[in-house]
């Protein structure tokens, strides 16, 4: 596998137009470090402006509806997001699974809706703290991934995000990240054969400039999905730089 590291900022429900200057500063760094594939998923309200203003950075959405159109007040379809300038969609984030009761089946359908209009997909999975403590994390996350995967690996990435590591400043042991990513790789090759070997598996959960080098060096970690630290260039650029320094 000789793909570039994929470093993605998930801005969640953060960012007014004033934040576009941070995105531009991130973009300038991304242009200096072409070894790394950099992307930002801002709130939908900023997608078009980012698409227009950034040249070295991918722009994506944080969710989509699985249907192409219809009576779904307040929702946005993959074709709409694509037209607005999004090139990829994050699906199945634990905050959406929790806040909006999204099921594995819905996550799979959303991923397939994005693929149908040739958008990239970042499919998120991860265990709760209780599942980690009970020693079932790998089993639970492998099952969750298998049930959420779209039918093809077209433009697919996976993000392993332990729920207890999101926004907490806590990260798993490097050995636990290695074991989980190895297990998820098996799920991917079982489903897609050789193509499953090329799906990048990102790590997410309290990634910062200080821990990025160690996490990105783990076998089968193909990038990072970054929340809080991606909101400013000062927070995000050191993570991009850490990816550029990996062999
Ligand atoms: P934090 O980097 O803020 O922990 O968020 C991780 C995340 O949920 C990215 O999708």
């Amino acid at each position: 596998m000789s793909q570039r590291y994929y470093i993605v900022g998930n801005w969640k429900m953060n960012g007014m137009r004033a934040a576009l200057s941070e995105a531009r500063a991130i973009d300038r760094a991304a242009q200096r470090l072409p070894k790394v594939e950099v992307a930002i998923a801002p709130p939908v309200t900023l997608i078009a402006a980012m698409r227009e203003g950034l040249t070295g950075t991918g722009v994506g959405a944080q969710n989509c509806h699985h249907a192409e159109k219809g009576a779904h007040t307040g929702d946005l379809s993959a074709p709409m997001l694509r037209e607005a300038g999004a090139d990829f969609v994050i699906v199945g984030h634990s905050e959406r699974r929790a806040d909006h009761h999204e099921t594995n089946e819905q996550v799979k359908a959303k991923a397939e809706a994005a693929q149908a209009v040739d958008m990239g997909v970042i499919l998120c999975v991860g265990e709760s703290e209780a599942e980690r403590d009970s020693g079932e994390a790998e089993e639970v996350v492998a099952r969750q991934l298998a049930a959420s995967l779209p039918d093809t690996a077209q433009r697919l990435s996976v993000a392993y995000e332990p729920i207890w590591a999101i926004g907490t400043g806590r990260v798993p042991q490097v050995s636990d990240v290695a074991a989980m990513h190895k297990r998820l790789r098996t799920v991917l090759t079982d489903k897609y054969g050789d193509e499953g070997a090329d799906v990048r598996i990102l790590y997410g959960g309290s990634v910062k400039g200080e821990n990025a080098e160690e996490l990105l060096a783990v076998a089968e970690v193909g990038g990072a999905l970054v929340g809080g630290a991606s909101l400013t260039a000062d927070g995000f650029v050191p993570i991009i730089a850490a990816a550029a320094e990996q062999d």
Side-chain angles (χ1 to χ4, degrees):
M1 200 171 73
S2 61
Q3 282 167 302
R4 293 187 293 170
Y5 277 93
Y6 193 23
I7 305 295
V8 183
N10 173 10
W11 279 22
K12 308 190 180 184
M13 199 172 72
N14 298 290
M16 307 289 277
R17 288 188 71 87
L20 290 171
S21 59
E22 293 295 335
R24 283 193 295 272
I26 291 165
D27 189 52
R28 286 192 293 276
Q31 289 176 54
R32 285 195 303 273
L33 300 167
K35 251 184 84 178
V36 183
E37 185 174 350
V38 179
I40 301 175
V44 167
T45 46
L46 294 183
I47 286 176
M50 275 199 194
R51 185 58 294 151
E52 220 162 272
L54 311 186
T55 53
T57 305
V59 179
Q62 301 168 15
N63 174 49
C64 67
H65 196 278
H66 63 81
E68 202 183 311
K69 60 182 176 169
H72 303 289
T73 303
D75 278 314
L76 294 165
S77 71
M80 290 168 180
L81 293 164
R82 183 166 179 74
E83 190 178 66
D87 182 51
F88 70 94
V89 187
I90 298 170
V91 297
H93 193 282
S94 58
E95 287 152 14
R96 294 210 56 91
R97 291 179 187 263
D99 297 352
H100 301 273
H101 314 290
E102 289 185 6
T103 63
N104 292 330
E105 292 70 27
Q106 286 169 332
V107 172
K108 176 180 194 289
K110 286 167 187 263
E112 288 172 352
Q115 288 175 324
V117 288
D118 198 28
M119 296 173 88
V121 172
I122 300 175
L123 196 169
C124 303
V125 290
E127 82 281 2
S128 67
E129 183 151 34
E131 288 161 344
R132 169 59 63 184
D133 290 346
S134 68
E136 291 166 3
E138 278 176 45
E139 230 12 78
V140 166
V141 179
R143 266 204 312 274
Q144 190 186 37
L145 179 61
S148 305
L149 284 175
D151 283 345
T152 78
Q154 180 195 313
R155 299 199 62 196
L156 176 68
S157 304
V158 166
Y160 166 54
E161 300 205 305
I163 296 166
W164 52 271
I166 294 176
T168 59
R170 296 164 59 203
V171 290
Q173 303 284 335
V174 161
S175 57
D176 288 338
V177 175
M180 182 65 82
H181 280 236
K182 188 169 170 218
R183 179 67 184 269
L184 299 183
R185 176 65 65 205
T186 308
V187 174
L188 290 166
T189 50
D190 282 353
K191 170 98 175 171
Y192 303 123
D194 287 349
E195 281 180 45
D198 292 334
V199 175
R200 283 176 293 194
I201 309 175
L202 317 183
Y203 168 78
S206 295
V207 178
K208 310 266 180 269
E210 303 80 61
N211 59 22
E213 187 185 343
E214 182 179 48
L215 289 162
L216 291 168
V218 174
E220 301 289 6
V221 172
L225 184 56
V226 185
S230 73
L231 293 172
T232 60
D234 280 354
F236 201 34
V237 173
I239 299 171
I240 301 167
E245 280 159 22
Q246 304 281 324
D247 298 326

